Amino acid sequence: MAAAAAAAEWATKEPCIMGIDEAGRGPVLGPMVYGCMFCARSYHDTLATLSFADSKTLKEEQREELFETLKTNSAIGWEVDVICPKELSAKMLKRTKVNLNEISHNSAMGLVKKALSMGVLLTDVYIDTVGDPEKYRVKLTEKFPGITFVVAKKADSLYPVVSGASIVAKVTRDRALRNWVFDETAQNMHMDTGSGYPGDPNTIQWLKDHKHPVFGFPTLVRFSWGTCTSYFKTGVEVTWESDELDEDAASNGSAKRQVRLSSLGFTGFKRKSEEIESSGKGRCKFFQARKLELVRKFQ
Amino acid sequence: MEQATPPAAGVDLSPAGADLGRVHLLPCGIRHSSAAAVSDYFKPRDTGVEVEGVRVEEAFFRGRKLQGATVALPDGYRGYVLEKKSAAKDMQNMDGDASNFVSRAEFQNITYWNHDAMPSAEDPLPRCFHWLTIANAMHKPVTAEELANMSATPNQNS
């Protein structure tokens, strides 16, 4: 992502403060955006007068306007990290799953790292918390020992520099959604997505409109979200090896559950994909390693 | 095969008219056996990365990131996409289990996809072709000359 101010002179000479905030962490679709804003410590009082505070209460046009003023303000630097829904889904559905908190932490730390590599003299960073504030603060401090971190709930309404960051993030996400180009070439796709939260009737309608029995949804959707799961139940069943390993681990880890299942006549989890995917089960290693099954009769 | 076995499944491999595009092998079970809008939803992209001389592509299916490689079938072999034909009523169907298949498409290349792992020569699909070499060796008639060579070196394998 392009930086508005590639480490202006003031940023490398004067001690700077930075605010970090996110937009689009919860919705079932679209990118999650992390934004940061930084300025010299000496500029902080002026910043407080720029009416960035309470960005969430601002209207979209006001945020757009503030973002444009912010971009032209040479005393302010900013940066964004856009994590596309594809990447979110893929990470959360990896064989070794990465949870959303970790993705969020890494994104925020990436922004700090980027500013430092640009030569910004960062001394204080204010950040909206993800998970437990104290644990997060410790994690950040360990990673960047020279910086004082202030981790707080609702940091965007407490610190003007975080309010600014939240505008950067929110406007970037809104624009990304407005200018979204579908990877998919299916017919009748549209962008009346609503807020992306399941309580929004527009979002529910959008999900219904874009549901596909085999493919699920276009890649605008975060497949790893609970909201999607109910839709997949009505579609074509898809089974993954990594999910079966999870199930196996879960059943091994819980002795109680195993006992209960066996008392009900279950002898263990049946590996679903073996019914539809060749596995070479019961054959010698050579064939198993190659998933080669002997087919005596086509049917 | 035993003599008494009734004719096995009939497979009609006459050339298929329709070109169904690329053939993908996905690392998951999909309980669906019919047409799907693959080219509208499944969009492989070249990653620019090469592993052991094979270009790696990237695609997404149901939120999972897949990495794929395209391999050519060995010389003399051809891949077919078969469709089961419902047994015709007027057929003399002595064996109720016999099925009939017809070729819907042919392929010389197949792209196989790994979930979250770079393709490599150690993947099951490229290793499948080892079987062809072994099967050939096993089924090739032994010539008199080879027999003579073997008896000349009787303790080779001891």
Side-chain angles (χ1 to χ4, degrees):
Chain A
M1 290 297 130
E9 208 186 333
W10 57 261
T12 61
K13 292 193 170 152
E14 281 188 66
C16 290
I17 58 169
M18 175 187 267
I20 299 178
D21 198 15
E22 131 289 313
R25 198 177 127 86
V28 69
L29 48 83
M32 174 168 85
V33 179
Y34 261 80
C36 73
M37 195 185 94
F38 55 93
C39 64
R41 245 188 329 206
S42 57
Y43 187 72
H44 180 259
D45 290 347
T46 320
L47 187 75
T49 66
L50 295 182
S51 68
F52 286 158
D54 288 335
S55 72
K56 296 240 159 87
T57 64
L58 295 171
K59 288 206 176 80
E60 186 170 343
E61 305 84 66
Q62 291 172 299
R63 281 196 301 262
E64 285 280 345
E65 209 173 293
L66 278 169
F67 184 50
E68 291 306 320
T69 7
L70 183 153
K71 274 161 66 177
T72 55
N73 187 333
S74 59
I76 291 173
W78 60 279
E79 191 70 45
V80 286
D81 180 25
V82 179
I83 307 160
C84 67
K86 248 187 211 174
E87 197 183 330
L88 284 173
S89 310
K91 283 193 169 149
M92 292 174 75
L93 295 170
K94 264 171 96 90
R95 282 169 176 273
T96 325
K97 296 177 169 53
V98 184
N99 69 39
L100 189 62
N101 280 8
E102 206 172 328
I103 298 171
S104 305
H105 291 174
N106 289 341
S107 178
M109 293 191 289
L111 290 172
V112 174
K113 211 168 147 189
K114 177 111 193 236
L116 291 177
S117 69
M118 274 159 51
V120 178
L121 194 56
L122 272 185
T123 58
D124 304 85
V125 173
Y126 298 81
I127 182 164
D128 201 30
T129 196
V130 166
D132 180 74
E134 182 53 21
K135 277 188 198 151
Y136 192 15
R137 193 191 63 79
V138 169
K139 184 175 178 181
L140 290 164
T141 310
E142 275 171 9
K143 179 99 179 176
F144 305 101
I147 299 172
T148 307
F149 286 93
V150 178
V151 182
K153 277 182 189 156
K154 300 200 160 106
D156 59 323
S157 56
L158 295 173
Y159 310 101
V161 75
V162 183
S163 308
S166 88
I167 288 170
V168 170
K170 182 83 174 107
V171 171
T172 306
R173 172 169 151 95
D174 288 347
R175 289 183 181 178
L177 277 179
R178 232 183 290 141
N179 303 324
W180 189 263
V181 180
F182 286 103
D183 278 352
E184 295 73 22
T185 42
Q187 298 295 302
N188 302 323
M189 293 192 293
H190 62 81
M191 278 305 285
D192 300 328
T193 60
S195 63
Y197 285 97
D200 185 334
N202 286 338
T203 300
I204 296 302
Q205 189 57 48
W206 188 93
L207 289 169
K208 277 184 188 154
D209 292 349
H210 294 80
K211 188 177 94 158
H212 188 283
V214 175
F215 298 95
F217 289 103
T219 49
L220 173 66
V221 169
R222 303 176 183 175
F223 285 73
S224 45
W225 253 239
T227 319
C228 298
T229 324
S230 60
Y231 289 86
F232 297 150
K233 279 185 187 138
T234 60
V236 171
E237 192 190 356
V238 174
T239 48
W240 299 85
E241 204 174 281
S242 56
D243 287 354
E244 284 160 11
L245 294 176
D246 277 358
E247 268 180 26
D248 286 355
S251 64
N252 289 336
S254 160
K256 256 191 219 162
R257 193 167 156 209
Q258 266 183 333
V259 170
R260 229 185 300 142
L261 284 171
S262 56
S263 70
L264 287 169
F266 288 97
T267 50
F269 288 100
K270 188 161 180 165
R271 299 195 138 217
K272 281 186 202 154
S273 71
E274 273 177 13
E275 296 164 24
I276 34 185
E277 209 189 15
S278 91
S279 63
K281 193 187 172 191
R283 306 193 75 196
C284 83
K285 265 190 179 168
F286 177 89
F287 296 110
Q288 279 186 18
R290 289 158 180 81
K291 296 191 174 175
L292 278 172
E293 213 165 273
L294 186 63
V295 179
R296 287 197 177 79
K297 189 156 48 183
F298 263 149
Q299 45 197 340
Chain B
M1 196 176 271
E2 289 168 47
Q3 299 274 323
T5 311
V11 180
D12 176 7
L13 295 180
S14 51
D19 176 15
L20 296 185
R22 299 176 60 178
V23 176
H24 301 285
L25 180 66
L26 267 61
C28 55
I30 304 173
R31 272 180 193 271
H32 178 75
S33 190
S34 167
V38 177
S39 56
D40 279 339
Y41 282 89
F42 193 70
K43 303 282 190 183
R45 259 209 311 250
D46 196 358
T47 58
V49 179
E50 264 190 28
V51 174
E52 292 149 10
V54 179
R55 275 167 56 185
V56 178
E57 287 180 286
E58 180 186 284
F60 293 81
F61 180 67
R62 292 269 183 125
R64 260 94 166 168
K65 181 177 164 178
L66 310 179
Q67 285 150 305
T70 302
V71 293
L73 301 187
D75 281 347
Y77 290 86
R78 190 182 289 271
Y80 293 93
V81 178
L82 299 181
E83 185 183 38
K84 189 176 181 177
K85 281 280 168 208
S86 50
K89 290 264 160 64
D90 57 357
M91 243 178 59
Q92 289 178 309
N93 206 349
M94 297 171 297
D95 180 2
D97 288 341
S99 305
N100 283 284
F101 290 85
V102 64
S103 168
R104 286 292 309 273
E106 296 177 18
F107 57 94
Q108 275 310 133
N109 295 292
I110 184 165
T111 308
Y112 74 93
W113 298 88
N114 290 343
H115 175 209
D116 229 18
M118 282 302 254
S120 89
E122 295 307 303
D123 290 327
L125 187 85
R127 289 176 78 192
C128 274
F129 301 125
H130 299 168
W131 170 244
L132 303 178
T133 314
I134 293 172
N136 276 339
M138 275 169 46
H139 295 291
K140 202 171 72 179
V142 181
T143 62
E145 196 185 338
E146 280 167 331
L147 269 178
N149 285 343
M150 275 169 77
S151 53
T153 53
N155 294 323
Q156 200 180 26
N157 294 323
S158 62

